Amino acid sequence: MNDHPLPTLRNQLLSLHKLLMNTERAAYEKEEKVTLSPLKLLQLLTENERFSWLRQLSQLVVMMDEAMEEKPPITNERKDALVAEARHLLTGSTEAGSFAMRYAAIQEREAAVAAAHAEIRKSFE
């Protein structure tokens, strides 16, 4: 493979974040019997403990963005490390409450998330 999967993976993770955010938003709105404005959603994403697990994914995307903009250009070793970090975040923990476990539970319930994960796995190969 000539092209490193990092830029593709970064875009996939960003799309995944949006899917997960919308899934969590819908669940929150249903449970709380409210409709969230974009501003209120942003506030919940940044301040509410329920949404805190999603911050790990958004922070990883930001790290990838920053690394790809580095001068001199990012090394393949650094790219590989970021891909490994993404793999670990999504699948590397069986600890209750971890990102990977929450993510796995949503994959079982949401076909769109499972489909997104199937595409992401290709970037790990």
Side-chain angles (χ1 to χ4, degrees):
M1 177 189 293
N2 253 354
D3 291 335
H4 199 280
L6 189 62
T8 299
L9 178 60
R10 178 256 180 224
N11 292 338
Q12 291 169 328
L13 293 176
L14 190 60
S15 295
L16 176 64
H17 184 272
K18 185 175 182 179
L19 267 174
L20 294 173
M21 183 181 66
N22 288 336
T23 300
E24 286 291 272
R25 176 188 191 163
Y28 181 90
E29 288 177 338
K30 184 177 180 182
E31 290 167 22
E32 301 296 323
K33 297 174 180 45
V34 297
T35 301
L36 295 174
S37 69
L39 185 60
K40 183 63 178 170
L41 176 62
L42 180 61
Q43 184 179 13
L44 288 172
L45 286 168
T46 57
E47 298 172 7
N48 188 295
E49 192 59 35
R50 176 187 178 138
F51 293 89
S52 65
W53 70 284
L54 291 173
R55 290 182 215 134
Q56 295 173 70
L57 183 55
S58 55
Q59 289 167 350
L60 180 58
V61 171
V62 168
M63 284 174 48
M64 289 177 170
D65 286 344
E66 290 171 348
M68 288 187 292
E69 291 175 6
E70 287 176 3
K71 303 285 188 239
I74 183 175
T75 63
N76 280 337
E77 291 79 12
R78 177 84 170 110
K79 290 177 184 177
D80 291 344
L82 286 165
V83 170
E85 192 163 334
R87 181 185 302 112
H88 180 74
L89 179 66
L90 299 184
T91 62
S93 176
T94 56
E95 189 177 315
S98 69
F99 184 97
M101 294 306 290
R102 286 174 170 232
Y103 177 56
I106 290 176
Q107 280 183 73
E108 290 178 17
R109 294 192 318 264
E110 301 289 335
V113 174
H117 183 72
E119 284 301 307
I120 289 169
R121 284 184 53 204
K122 293 176 185 174
S123 292
F124 293 154
E125 296 170 359

